[in-house]
Amino acid sequence: DAGDLLELFERAGRFGHILEYREGMTADDTERLIRSYHYSLLDYLAVSVPDAIHSLILGYIQVYEGLEVAALLRGISGGLPGDLIEKRAVPVGSFSESAIRKAAHSGSVEEAVQRLDRSGVLPRIRDIWKAVGEQNGYAAFESALLSDCYRSLMMTARGLDESQYEPAVLMMGRLIDCENLRILIRGKLSGADAAVIEPFLIQKGGFEITDDMLRDLTRSDDLVELVSLIRETMYAPYIEPSIEKVRKSRDPGVIEMSLSQCLLDIGRMVSSQYHLGSGPILRYLMALGIECENLRSAAAGILYYVPAESIRGQMVVEVSGR
């Protein structure tokens, strides 16, 4: 319900999100500010959590590092000017201002990958480019890069001390499940067949969607069959109610919001079940990401004069009684 960005940031500040408003901020400026704020909180968390879970937070940050690198490389692949690519990128993890500047002004994706590799950004980036990008093009490379970040996160979770292992594997595995469901639903809506969809999926990292189920979901004929295959999982109640609406609109937005709602609910469950261990920290990770998405939605809505009721419809919030 905020009338402008200044009021939005003032209201966010009352809830602990301190964002610095500047006169004349554009949509790009606002988007970048909120991402930067999110990453700063993750950095703070990384240095303040117990040693037993420190590596998991770093692995989680590396997923965002992968997303930022992918956005930069996508800009190069799409022919955007280097200055614009540099301006839009946000430092996170080992993806520093210096690495951004060097990579953004590369003449090709391959050159940018080489520069990022020399800067120590994403340790396997060059190998993934050689194995995937050189043969299959940019889209397949981006997918493989992000999949590698998620798989690395899951490997980190599985390598934690026994006292932290269960909640970390549960939370990160379900995060991967939800990412795969998003990819599958977009693929089915676009009419892509299994051979097209499969390279974009995160393999060998899910919690409830095992390798066999993931393969069956990929081969399903349409959204109706996909939902029938996950009916016994915890994800079905979040997806099934919207399936007809999505089939008609061809817009996956409603289901994507439901999957974010699912992650928020899982975070609360993990926090309650493992309240003496890492549960509350894992819940905070999920909730913080969703809160920052909500802030981005609100800011974009205000800048583009979207009615407040419609903005509220794009928010993912705690639901009482679950």
Side-chain angles (χ1 to χ4, degrees):
D1 293 324
D4 55 26
L5 282 183
L6 176 59
E7 187 177 358
L8 171 67
F9 290 168
E10 286 176 346
R11 292 184 178 194
R14 295 175 203 154
F15 294 97
H17 293 303
I18 310 301
L19 295 150
E20 186 179 344
Y21 172 77
R22 299 190 310 276
E23 191 70 34
M25 290 183 73
T26 65
D28 270 1
D29 294 335
T30 308
E31 169 86 11
R32 192 180 188 282
L33 174 67
I34 295 171
R35 295 205 322 276
S36 181
Y37 168 72
H38 182 194
Y39 302 157
S40 71
L41 292 181
L42 292 179
D43 285 341
Y44 176 77
L45 189 67
V47 300
S48 59
V49 296
D51 290 344
I53 199 174
H54 176 73
S55 61
L56 186 73
I57 306 303
L58 294 181
Y60 184 76
I61 289 172
Q62 191 175 78
V63 170
Y64 284 99
E65 186 178 334
L67 290 167
E68 288 290 338
V69 167
L72 182 146
L73 296 176
R74 197 183 313 128
I76 294 172
S77 177
L80 292 180
D83 288 344
L84 180 59
I85 295 171
E86 181 182 353
K87 180 183 177 184
R88 286 181 171 174
V90 179
V92 56
S94 60
F95 191 47
S96 63
E97 292 278 9
S98 173
I100 289 170
R101 184 170 56 256
K102 291 173 184 175
H105 296 277
S106 302
S108 66
V109 172
E110 182 175 14
E111 182 183 346
V113 166
Q114 292 171 351
R115 292 182 178 186
L116 290 167
D117 182 62
R118 287 196 294 269
S119 298
V121 177
L122 299 178
R124 283 175 30 81
I125 189 169
R126 193 166 187 176
D127 292 340
I128 295 169
W129 172 258
K130 288 182 177 179
V132 180
E134 287 183 351
Q135 286 77 31
N136 302 311
Y138 178 73
F141 165 67
E142 177 178 325
S143 174
L145 187 67
L146 294 177
S147 293
D148 189 71
C149 290
Y150 279 107
R151 282 196 298 271
S152 177
L153 173 62
M154 193 56 167
M155 288 175 62
T156 300
R158 288 173 175 156
L160 292 180
D161 181 85
E162 186 177 348
S163 63
Q164 308 294 337
Y165 173 88
E166 283 189 15
V169 168
L170 188 157
M171 189 76 253
M172 298 310 153
R174 291 203 179 277
L175 173 64
I176 289 171
D177 282 350
C178 288
E179 287 301 315
N180 277 333
L181 285 169
R182 294 178 206 269
I183 294 165
L184 285 161
I185 288 163
R186 292 178 200 142
K188 298 301 174 186
L189 285 175
S190 71
D193 61 22
V196 174
I197 296 172
E198 188 172 13
F200 291 88
L201 296 168
I202 305 160
Q203 305 288 345
K204 300 184 183 302
F207 183 81
E208 195 170 3
I209 299 179
T210 60
D211 293 350
D212 289 343
M213 180 182 285
L214 187 60
R215 185 165 52 251
D216 291 342
L217 292 173
T218 308
R219 294 173 179 173
S220 60
D221 290 332
D222 52 29
L223 285 181
V224 174
E225 185 180 356
L226 184 147
V227 170
S228 71
L229 290 169
I230 62 167
R231 191 152 284 145
E232 300 304 315
T233 72
M234 76 164 293
Y235 310 115
Y238 292 90
I239 293 176
E240 202 162 8
S242 305
I243 206 71
E244 284 304 316
K245 180 179 180 181
V246 168
R247 285 179 68 203
K248 291 176 182 177
S249 69
R250 317 303 295 175
D251 180 358
V254 167
I255 290 180
E256 299 215 8
M257 287 181 58
S258 296
L259 288 170
S260 292
Q261 185 71 59
C262 177
L263 285 173
L264 192 62
D265 294 345
I266 292 167
R268 184 166 62 248
M269 177 192 72
V270 168
S271 179
S272 175
Q273 186 174 351
Y274 300 95
H275 62 281
L276 296 178
S278 59
I281 295 172
L282 296 172
R283 180 189 185 185
Y284 174 76
L285 283 179
M286 295 302 111
L288 176 64
I290 290 169
E291 285 192 357
C292 288
E293 289 287 347
N294 283 341
L295 281 170
R296 289 163 65 180
S297 296
I302 288 167
L303 285 168
Y304 292 108
Y305 306 103
V306 177
E309 184 176 342
S310 296
I311 297 174
R312 283 196 293 275
Q314 301 301 313
M315 299 289 187
V316 178
V317 298
E318 293 279 9
V319 178
S320 61
R322 287 196 184 221

